[in-house]
Amino acid sequence: MPVPSYLISICVGVLDEKFVSDWCSIISEPSHLEFCANEFAEVEKFLKIAEEILFAYPLKYYKVIVLPPSFAYGGMENPVTTFVTPSIVIGDWSAINVVCHEIAHSWTGNLVTNSSWEDFWLNEGFTWYLESKMMAWLTGPEDF
């Protein structure tokens, strides 16, 4: 699968992985793994909602890696793996929209991307739209 260069990333550290479904897993430092896996246990559900709106998830696996607190961004989509800050792992799913946003990028940004940074707003615009649709399916349109 061709990948835009801005989506290539490497993560190195003392990490462990827990599968929360056959094709979705959570990765974090071992001491935080259970808490993080509990927070994102329903990630396959979010992928299935996106598939209902668009088409089948284009990759074999989906992973969420919870980085150390020095990662300053909410999340960053990368093919197969979404990088997130631990500040969204609260224990009550209240920041799950960040993961929905990054899942949306699996289609709008990873598969189809802008040809120049001048048009980067297209990635975020279509992704925000898909995230909004996903959240409406999760919580009901009146709540989002």
Side-chain angles (χ1 to χ4, degrees), residues 107-121:
W107 289 266
T108 59
N110 293 2
L111 286 181
V112 178
T113 195
N114 49 287
S115 62
S116 73
W117 290 111
E118 182 178 312
D119 296 321
F120 186 68
W121 66 273

Side-chain angles (χ1 to χ4, degrees), residues 1-23:
M1 175 181 164
V3 176
S5 60
Y6 78 94
L7 293 177
I8 296 172
S9 60
I10 298 171
C11 186
V12 178
V14 179
L15 302 168
D16 207 351
E17 179 176 24
K18 180 174 183 174
F19 276 82
V20 293
S21 75
D22 290 340
W23 52 295

Side-chain angles (χ1 to χ4, degrees), residues 128-141:
W128 185 87
Y129 174 77
L130 182 53
E131 171 197 345
S132 298
K133 298 286 279 181
M134 292 168 66
M135 292 302 295
W137 280 44
L138 284 168
T139 64

